Amino acid sequence: MRWYEVRPVRFVLIGVALVGPTAAILLSLLLAGHVEAGVALPALLVNVVVAVAILRMIQTDTRRLTDYAEVLGEASAPVPPPELDSITAEFIASAMARAQQAWLDRESKDAGRAGLFEAVIDQLHDPVILLGPGREVRRANQAACRMFGDRLLDRDLASSVRTPSLLEATDAVLAGGASRSVDVLLPVPVERTLQARVKPFRTPGEEGPLLVLLTLHDITMLKRAEQMRADFVANASHELRTPLAALIGFIETLRGPAKDDPAAHERFLAIMFDQSNRMSRLVNDLLSLSRIEMDEHSPPTEQVDVAKIVRNVAATLELRAASRKVKLRLDLADLLPPVVGDEDQLSQVFQNLIDNAIKYGKEQTEVTIALTAPVGSKAGAVRGPAVMVAVTDRGDGIARTHLPRLTERFYRVDPARSRALGGTGLGLAIVKHIVNRHRGRLIIDSEVGKGSTFTVILPAVKGVATKREAG
Ligand SMILES: Nc1ncnc2c1ncn2[C@@H]1O[C@H](COP(=O)(O)OP(=O)(O)OP(=O)(O)O)[C@@H](O)[C@H]1O
Ligand SMILES: [Mg+2]
């Protein structure tokens, strides 16, 4: 600091600047004899008093302004300027108040933005976790707390997540490694697979320690779909390979050992015909399934009479039923509204269900096909008016454990029996996809030893009901 910057010296200098000119003029006038000492001295005294008053005013205002600046620095709400003596100081104070207001406005805007962003992260469907340098959980959104429990915060991640690969990945990133992603298998409460992305993170603009940002995404459905695709390819190949192997075997026998045996020719050709038919049915069913899946998202537009479709299907299956001495009984409600549907696809649905009822029902029993226009709880599965078709058999029934898997492709309760009966195991999968396309529902009720009821509920056209035709 220079000598003239020292506070008292400054005040003396200001004093000299205020009093100096007047004192010099008065002294010159006194020396020249133009004024008497009795006049000059009181005038000088008045000048000194005024100068001291001005100095004191400047000093007080400066102190008040300094105090005000300090208060503003700490304040989180606007502070009015203090009372000041000089107009200049008042200008400075009101400029300071305006600056504080602008700063507070900007700060609250920033805080609002940060708060909004925090709320968004909290509401994210996927868990997000921020880990400190010691792998402790610094922040976790609601989804993370729901998944790993509320005790996640401020503890080592290892106390809530026990997947070694995830902990290793986190440690590697904390040690300066690059981002990576690992699959995490959570066995409880229901088995789920999550994909965890582990990323290094530094607070923007701060030279803080290296943190880790962990985001988890549920890929259970993706894994399941992958598995289903792999299973499907394996199953389809297996289903085709069996009849194909039989065909190749018989062809070799016919060309070799049984070359000149007409009786064997007859027998083997009959088996080969059956096996070829089976392959053809399988390929047709697979093609049909893939076609239905492709347009599952565009619902049908035609209006169809479900009673007519069911009657036609039952008629075509009469012979088959008769071969097992099964009686098909149709039970049609008087008034049935039309359904928005695809006639061919709905025929396929009832063909499969009635065929199953005949196949898996006991011989010499009855298969009932009841058509109603339900109201109330069962129709609740489909909003608005509906048509319900229930196919009931008196067969062995299906154990509860099988029910959820019945509509999976190639799923059979008794694979040997189904194959022996010529089934491909795709029938109910086709039914499910067609019913889905019609925005309907398939409900399976079964009791072991008594029989099963397969119910299809289809949304009907609103406000229309047609009287049942005779026949
Ligand atoms: N009414 C029923 N009673 C008992 N079990 C049934 C009945 N309907 C289906 N199932 C069981 O569900 C399995 C799957 O039926 P689905 O119709 O998909 O195949 P499938 O009848 O074997 O062959 P496909 O219908 O392709 O000719 C059957 O193998 C059978 O075990
Ligand atoms: Mg079937």
Side-chain angles (χ1 to χ4, degrees):
M1 193 185 273
R2 314 226 169 165
W3 64 270
Y4 49 80
E5 285 173 345
V6 178
R7 232 174 167 200
V9 176
R10 257 202 220 162
F11 276 101
V12 171
L13 284 177
I14 296 169
V16 170
L18 286 172
V19 182
T22 320
I25 293 165
L26 281 174
L27 194 64
S28 332
L29 290 174
L30 189 69
L31 290 176
H34 293 305
V35 285
E36 306 254 322
V39 176
L41 282 176
L44 187 64
L45 198 66
V46 169
N47 191 240
V48 169
V49 169
V50 170
V52 168
I54 291 172
L55 268 177
R56 282 195 69 98
M57 189 176 76
I58 293 173
Q59 196 185 13
T60 323
D61 279 357
T62 310
R63 202 188 57 242
R64 284 180 189 154
L65 279 178
T66 321
D67 292 348
Y68 182 50
E70 269 167 26
V71 172
L72 288 188
E74 300 287 318
S76 54
V79 182
E83 289 236 341
L84 296 160
D85 296 327
S86 88
I87 289 187
T88 320
E90 270 177 10
F91 281 147
I92 294 171
S94 69
M96 283 162 77
R98 280 198 305 277
Q100 189 221 10
Q101 185 62 53
W103 183 80
L104 284 177
D105 287 349
R106 202 169 42 245
E107 200 185 41
S108 83
K109 225 183 261 173
D110 285 351
R113 240 181 263 145
L116 179 74
F117 207 64
E118 287 250 319
V120 169
I121 290 176
D122 224 25
Q123 293 299 317
L124 281 182
H125 181 72
D126 285 344
V128 180
I129 296 172
L130 183 67
L131 298 171
R135 211 173 59 186
E136 77 282 4
V137 177
R138 287 207 173 165
R139 305 289 285 271
N141 71 349
Q142 280 180 17
C145 293
R146 268 197 304 275
M147 187 168 285
F148 300 111
D150 282 335
R151 289 154 56 87
L152 184 70
L153 278 170
D154 301 325
R155 295 155 141 240
D156 184 352
L157 180 71
S159 55
S160 313
V161 186
R162 291 195 175 76
T163 312
S165 57
L166 177 62
L167 299 175
E168 275 163 25
T170 323
D171 290 345
V173 174
L174 278 174
S179 305
R180 57 203 69 203
S181 85
V182 284
D183 283 359
V184 179
L185 187 81
L186 295 182
V188 281
V190 270
E191 197 174 282
R192 273 170 304 170
T193 313
L194 304 168
Q195 186 180 55
R197 288 183 189 280
V198 191
K199 235 182 129 193
F201 180 84
R202 270 189 210 280
T203 320
E206 277 180 35
E207 262 308 301
L210 181 65
L211 309 176
V212 160
L213 187 67
L214 199 66
T215 47
L216 295 122
H217 181 60
D218 196 331
I219 52 164
T220 316
M221 294 304 280
L222 201 74
K223 285 268 170 195
R224 208 173 284 161
E226 243 173 56
Q227 187 59 44
M228 272 168 72
R229 194 187 49 80
D231 288 352
F232 173 69
V233 173
N235 283 330
S237 322
H238 176 75
E239 294 288 335
L240 281 170
R241 208 174 46 194
T242 318
L244 203 58
L247 279 182
I248 295 170
F250 285 120
I251 291 171
E252 275 173 1
T253 320
L254 285 176
R255 292 169 81 193
K259 204 172 175 183
D260 305 312
D261 181 349
H265 280 196
E266 196 61 32
R267 203 153 37 87
F268 292 170
L269 282 175
I271 301 173
M272 286 166 74
F273 182 69
D274 278 354
Q275 296 297 338
S276 315
N277 268 341
R278 184 167 159 191
M279 281 170 65
S280 154
R281 259 201 318 274
L282 188 66
V283 172
N284 282 341
D285 278 358
L286 283 174
L287 283 176
S288 166
L289 194 58
S290 97
R291 232 177 288 124
I292 296 159
E293 266 187 320
M294 249 190 299
D295 61 13
E296 199 171 322
H297 301 289
S298 56
T301 49
E302 305 283 296
Q303 286 195 16
V304 295
D305 178 357
V306 181
K308 196 176 117 203
I309 299 174
V310 172
R311 244 188 260 125
N312 288 344
V313 171
T316 59
L317 288 170
E318 272 302 343
L319 260 180
R320 200 163 154 69
S323 72
R324 302 207 70 223
K325 298 191 180 66
V326 167
K327 187 175 170 346
L328 297 183
R329 187 158 70 84
L330 250 74
D331 205 345
L332 300 177
D334 274 344
L335 284 173
L336 285 172
V339 158
V340 179
D342 180 314
E343 193 160 335
D344 287 343
Q345 290 193 343
L346 289 179
S347 298
Q348 229 175 325
V349 166
F350 303 124
Q351 148 84 35
N352 264 304
L353 295 184
I354 302 171
D355 176 59
N356 280 353
I358 297 170
K359 259 197 310 196
Y360 302 110
K362 283 201 184 76
E363 281 199 0
Q364 297 183 359
T365 54
E366 199 175 64
V367 166
T368 343
I369 306 137
L371 265 81
T372 45
V375 271
S377 66
K378 270 227 164 172
V382 165
R383 255 185 245 143
V387 168
M388 185 161 97
V389 184
V391 181
T392 307
D393 64 65
R394 277 103 197 141
D396 294 336
I398 308 157
R400 275 184 89 79
T401 47
H402 296 292
L403 294 183
R405 301 199 57 192
L406 276 193
T407 54
E408 281 177 22
R409 292 148 205 224
F410 300 116
Y411 188 83
R412 294 142 161 145
V413 176
D414 180 350
R417 181 174 172 204
S418 161
R419 280 202 195 93
L421 295 171
T424 60
L426 291 172
L428 287 178
I430 292 175
V431 167
K432 187 186 81 178
H433 284 286
I434 295 178
V435 172
N436 281 352
R437 184 180 173 224
H438 284 72
R439 307 295 183 256
R441 284 279 309 271
L442 170 71
I443 301 169
I444 308 174
D445 295 304
S446 190
E447 206 176 320
V448 176
K450 280 203 162 167
S452 319
T453 299
F454 286 73
T455 309
V456 173
I457 306 174
L458 297 164
V461 177
K462 278 193 189 111
V464 194
T466 44
K467 216 169 165 55
R468 170 153 68 95
E469 290 169 33

